[in-house]
Amino acid sequence: MKLFRIQSKEEKRLDEIINRLQMNLSNNYKDSAQANLAELREAYDEMCSQGKLKEKPKAEYERKLAVYAEKLKGYSHKDQKPYWH
């Protein structure tokens, strides 16, 4: 049983974006988290169109992208009510 698999440089790049996104989510940096999601989607689409991701990682990142997109739906400071009113 193989516990660790070697990641490609593309997978490492996507994981770095996901780590920044997760950090911004945990710190409630809504605009930065939305920017990270857009960056992740752009990088993923670019890698898929160039054929740089294998099928298994491609499906895994597609699932992660869908989860984060759902989590960040409506996640912005625009609708936030000021607490002093």
Side-chain angles (χ1 to χ4, degrees):
M1 176 165 66
K2 195 171 188 181
L3 295 176
F4 299 100
R5 65 180 182 84
I6 298 175
Q7 288 185 316
S8 67
K9 65 180 180 178
E10 288 81 12
E11 291 175 75
K12 288 180 184 179
R13 179 176 171 214
L14 292 174
D15 284 341
E16 288 171 4
I17 298 169
I18 289 171
N19 287 338
R20 287 196 312 268
L21 177 99
Q22 195 61 40
M23 182 184 68
N24 286 324
L25 273 173
S26 67
N27 288 319
N28 202 27
Y29 297 149
K30 295 178 180 183
D31 296 334
S32 296
Q34 289 289 357
N36 292 139
L37 178 62
E39 181 184 3
L40 178 62
R41 184 174 288 123
E42 183 180 317
Y44 173 78
D45 290 342
E46 178 184 318
M47 289 174 195
C48 288
S49 68
Q50 294 175 357
K52 292 185 175 183
L53 286 175
K54 295 181 181 177
E55 286 304 314
K56 187 174 180 180
K58 184 177 176 180
E60 181 182 321
Y61 286 109
E62 185 175 349
R63 183 188 57 76
K64 287 181 182 182
L65 188 58
V67 168
Y68 282 118
E70 184 64 32
K71 186 182 281 191
L72 293 175
K73 190 183 291 186
Y75 189 73
S76 99
H77 287 293
K78 293 176 187 170
D79 299 327
Q80 187 174 352
K81 305 287 185 216
Y83 63 88
W84 57 86
H85 284 182

